[in-house]
Amino acid sequence: MARGPLIVRTMKALDRATGSYRDAGETLALVPTMGALHAGHIALVRRARRRADRVAVSIFVNPAQFAPTEDFGSYPRTFETDIAALRAEHVDLVWAPPRQLMYPEGFATAVSVKGPATVDLEDRFRPQFLGGVATVVAKLFSQCRPDFALFGEKDYQQLRTVTRMAADLDLKVKVIGIPTVREKDGLALSSRNVYLSADERAAAPTLYRTLRDSAARIVAREPIVRVTSEGWHTIEAAGFAVDYFEARHAETLRRVETLADGPLRLLVAARLGKTRLIDNIAV
Ligand code: AMP
């Protein structure tokens, strides 16, 4: 059986571990997560393994990216099974900082994000989310000082925001985006899928199906406005309340009018009962 990852909860222990990697001339890849690990997270870990000599996974449910009305309290926490999964992937280090270390008394600084973080997508429905992510990711980068950091395309606006932040603040880390891992029926894996009832789970693949059909129609030169408004209705007919279903520029996430404004990305967020699902696809 593989040796487990080193589980680290203090800055001193983290510095000791990452310092020893650096002294040995080894590169480090970081996979930031909130735990409740699934095959999507493991895909990031495997890519990290190929990319760097050492792999660190952070597990921290970040209160700053949840609104008071959201699921911070009930977010799934499965630390022991997460560690077992990471052991099987030969992860070197798990950074599991206590909340007090991340946000000590008197904490008063935040990263302010614009550009792809202020385009009326997630930012419109979760105003605290991307700033909260940027702040915690900036802290994780500064604590771990990785050469590479891996993020899922599943959270596409987050990926674009973090990529922008790393470049803008000269954080000297290469941000790498990884394609979304899906169930056989197309549903994007998410730690929140456990919230879905059996009926909701059966309806959930409509999101990806509609993304795929809509992308094909846009490529076939159907007008974007027509395709996205019909897609919106298809998703609604499956029982979702749609927050957005839009084609955007794949890098800037700005609004587009035609295929020629591309590269394009189709993005959706919709609520099924109490669960909010997001997904996206390249056009
Ligand atoms: P989370 O723990 O939900 O904050 O996610 C941690 C990282 O895993 C983020 O970079 C996510 O984008 C990524 N991720 C989540 N779900 C998937 C998925 N189905 N496929 C690929 N990456 C994912």
Side-chain angles (χ1 to χ4, degrees):
M1 189 155 167
R3 233 177 75 208
L6 182 67
I7 299 170
V8 162
R9 301 179 193 275
T10 66
M11 266 320 297
K12 196 167 158 203
L14 181 67
D15 285 344
R16 199 181 309 127
T18 57
S20 78
Y21 304 156
R22 265 186 296 276
D23 289 350
E26 294 169 330
T27 54
L28 175 65
L30 174 67
V31 180
T33 81
M34 299 204 299
L37 302 183
H38 52 62
H41 298 109
I42 299 304
L44 306 193
V45 168
R46 289 190 180 157
R47 181 66 83 83
R49 193 68 286 169
R50 291 213 301 275
R51 195 68 203 238
D53 302 314
R54 297 286 185 168
V55 176
V57 173
S58 61
I59 299 182
F60 180 66
V61 186
N62 175 34
Q65 70 192 64
F66 290 78
T69 51
E70 291 178 349
D71 57 345
F72 175 73
S74 57
Y75 194 84
R77 288 162 170 88
T78 58
F79 194 75
E80 295 308 323
T81 45
D82 291 349
I83 298 300
L86 297 178
R87 176 185 299 122
E89 299 300 324
H90 306 282
V91 163
D92 296 285
L93 182 128
V94 170
W95 174 226
R99 184 170 172 169
Q100 265 306 103
L101 188 152
M102 295 303 271
Y103 300 110
E105 182 81 16
F107 185 87
T109 305
V111 175
S112 157
V113 282
K114 297 196 183 74
T118 51
V119 290
D120 259 357
L121 292 171
E122 284 304 286
D123 49 303
R124 174 154 159 229
F125 296 91
R126 308 183 68 196
Q128 71 301 315
F129 172 65
L130 290 160
V133 166
T135 301
V136 83
V137 169
K139 285 178 67 82
L140 293 168
F141 285 178
S142 135
Q143 292 161 344
C144 301
R145 296 201 277 147
D147 302 283
F148 308 99
L150 295 97
F151 290 83
E153 289 182 351
K154 156 84 178 8
D155 301 279
Y156 196 77
Q157 194 180 5
Q158 166 176 290
L159 169 63
R160 302 275 29 118
T161 301
V162 168
T163 302
R164 188 74 248 176
M165 174 186 74
D168 290 349
L169 300 183
D170 307 305
L171 297 182
K172 298 191 170 64
V173 46
K174 183 170 172 45
V175 175
I176 301 170
I178 303 296
T180 302
V181 177
R182 302 177 179 282
E183 302 281 6
K184 279 202 180 63
D185 61 12
L187 175 65
L189 296 190
S190 162
S191 307
R192 291 188 168 101
N193 289 351
V194 296
Y195 299 156
L196 297 170
S197 70
D199 285 351
E200 290 166 351
R201 177 63 190 81
T206 303
L207 275 192
Y208 180 57
R209 206 177 311 125
T210 309
L211 282 172
R212 251 189 9 211
D213 293 351
S214 304
R217 289 172 57 183
I218 291 171
V219 171
R221 301 274 193 268
E222 276 194 55
I224 289 178
V225 199
R226 184 168 82 206
V227 172
T228 51
S229 93
E230 288 179 12
W232 182 298
H233 287 116
T234 305
I235 294 166
E236 250 177 13
F240 286 87
V242 182
D243 282 348
Y244 58 79
F245 183 74
E246 290 197 41
R248 293 293 185 98
H249 189 278
E251 297 255 315
T252 62
L253 296 182
R254 291 213 193 98
R255 291 198 162 76
V256 290
E257 275 165 24
T258 70
L259 189 59
D261 296 335
L264 303 188
R265 198 94 192 171
L266 265 175
L267 303 104
V268 64
R271 285 163 286 120
L272 200 49
K274 295 196 306 293
T275 310
R276 187 168 181 279
L277 300 178
I278 60 172
D279 203 350
N280 66 86
I281 189 179
V283 176

